[in-house]
Amino acid sequence: MNFNSKNPFLNSKRFSSSNATSRTETHQAQIIDYNQEMTVSGTINKTAILFLILCGSAMITWWMAFNQINPMVPTIGGAIVGLILVIISSFKPQASPYLAPAYALFEGLFIGGISAIFELKVPGIVVNAVGATLVTFLVCLGLYKFKIVKVNEQFKSVVVAATLAIATYYLFSWLASLIFNFTPVHYGNSMMSIGISVFVIIIAALNLFLDFDLIEKGARERMPKFMEWYGAMGLMITLVWLYIEFLRLLLKLSSKD
């Protein structure tokens, strides 16, 4: 059985369909040069560009929060628009050169606002969360690069199943908290809640291996050049998820003191 990454941008079906599309549309005039091929280094460069855009955008809502300006409107708006762009790009990967930078811009507004809220609660938490995310990324990249962790079908199935379980749990617990007088177990700073956060972080980190594998596969199968933006956008989604989960865990740990 073939399992793909939970990340909607990084699945083998999407990569394959995009390659097939490029072959059938070579006779048409395209803004994107389909004769160019996706490369791993190109995807890394695109990821760096998206990261810079996200950081620059995040500084806006961060500055607002620390200058007595309510950042909630751009923060919530950024989250909503970012989600819409994710959905659009999952169906239109050829538009990724435009949608990916826009996603980084609006997601940055969300990240900046959320980070400021956490920082106001626990000074220094953002630096620690950024550091933890960066270290996790580099460790996972090293383990993948040197083939210490091999992404086979069994590995994929376990990670995807766990990711789906987390997404389902978050969705139903959120709905239950809205409808009923119910507090999900992952709220608060109990040992159970901390344990759930640790588990989610591990699964988010394991998703990085799927991302690396599928980007490498896209380059190996000579996907069109725009797929570099598509792959970079998908990797950014995983990193944002990982960063948010580190913020949550560090907040829980700080409240235990």
Side-chain angles (χ1 to χ4, degrees):
M1 182 177 295
N2 182 30
F3 287 87
N4 300 308
S5 174
K6 177 63 173 65
N7 192 321
F9 290 84
L10 298 173
N11 64 78
S12 56
K13 289 183 179 179
R14 179 65 65 190
F15 273 72
S16 299
S17 64
S18 298
N19 194 34
T21 300
S22 67
R23 291 187 185 123
T24 60
E25 295 181 351
T26 51
H27 65 284
Q28 300 177 354
Q30 299 288 337
I31 296 177
I32 303 168
D33 185 4
Y34 284 87
N35 293 321
Q36 292 182 303
E37 298 174 355
M38 177 184 185
T39 64
V40 173
S41 61
T43 306
I44 293 173
N45 292 336
K46 302 301 189 299
T47 303
I49 293 173
L50 296 184
F51 179 74
L52 291 176
I53 294 174
L54 185 143
C55 290
S57 177
M59 293 303 298
I60 297 174
T61 44
W62 176 276
W63 179 87
M64 292 174 65
F66 284 93
N67 284 273
Q68 289 73 53
I69 302 175
N70 191 342
M72 293 312 298
V73 172
T75 297
I76 296 175
I80 294 174
V81 175
L83 176 60
I84 293 174
L85 293 174
V86 166
I87 295 173
I88 294 175
S89 191
S90 66
F91 290 101
K92 291 288 185 179
Q94 64 270 23
S96 296
Y98 312 104
L99 296 177
Y103 163 79
L105 178 67
F106 285 99
E107 192 70 12
L109 294 176
F110 167 70
I111 290 298
I114 289 297
S115 298
I117 292 173
F118 277 83
E119 184 71 17
L120 289 171
K121 292 181 179 180
V122 182
I125 191 173
V126 169
V127 173
N128 291 329
V130 170
T133 303
L134 178 60
V135 169
T136 301
F137 172 78
L138 293 177
V139 169
C140 290
L141 181 61
L143 292 175
Y144 178 80
K145 180 71 174 179
F146 294 103
K147 307 298 181 182
I148 298 175
V149 174
K150 296 182 179 180
V151 182
N152 53 32
E153 293 305 313
Q154 183 179 7
F155 181 91
K156 293 178 183 178
S157 66
V158 172
V159 175
V160 171
T163 305
L164 288 173
I166 291 170
T168 302
Y169 166 74
Y170 275 168
L171 176 61
F172 280 96
S173 62
W174 176 68
L175 292 175
S177 65
L178 291 178
I179 300 173
F180 309 105
N181 186 19
F182 170 75
T183 301
V185 294
H186 66 280
Y187 287 8
N189 61 354
S190 66
M191 292 305 298
M192 175 68 75
S193 177
I194 292 174
I196 291 175
S197 288
V198 171
F199 174 74
V200 173
I201 286 173
I202 291 173
I203 298 304
L206 293 179
N207 269 271
L208 288 173
F209 291 106
L210 303 190
D211 296 342
F212 298 149
D213 179 69
L214 287 164
I215 290 173
E216 186 177 59
K217 180 179 179 180
R220 186 169 61 248
E221 295 186 358
R222 298 181 177 181
M223 297 291 108
K225 196 69 174 177
F226 69 80
M227 294 301 289
E228 292 179 350
W229 287 104
Y230 189 83
M233 187 175 176
L235 186 57
M236 286 298 298
I237 293 172
T238 302
L239 290 173
V240 166
W241 176 29
L242 186 62
Y243 169 70
I244 294 297
E245 294 299 337
F246 269 122
L247 279 178
R248 290 175 175 172
L249 175 62
L250 292 173
L251 180 62
K252 294 175 184 179
L253 293 175
S254 66
S255 63
K256 294 288 288 185
D257 297 336

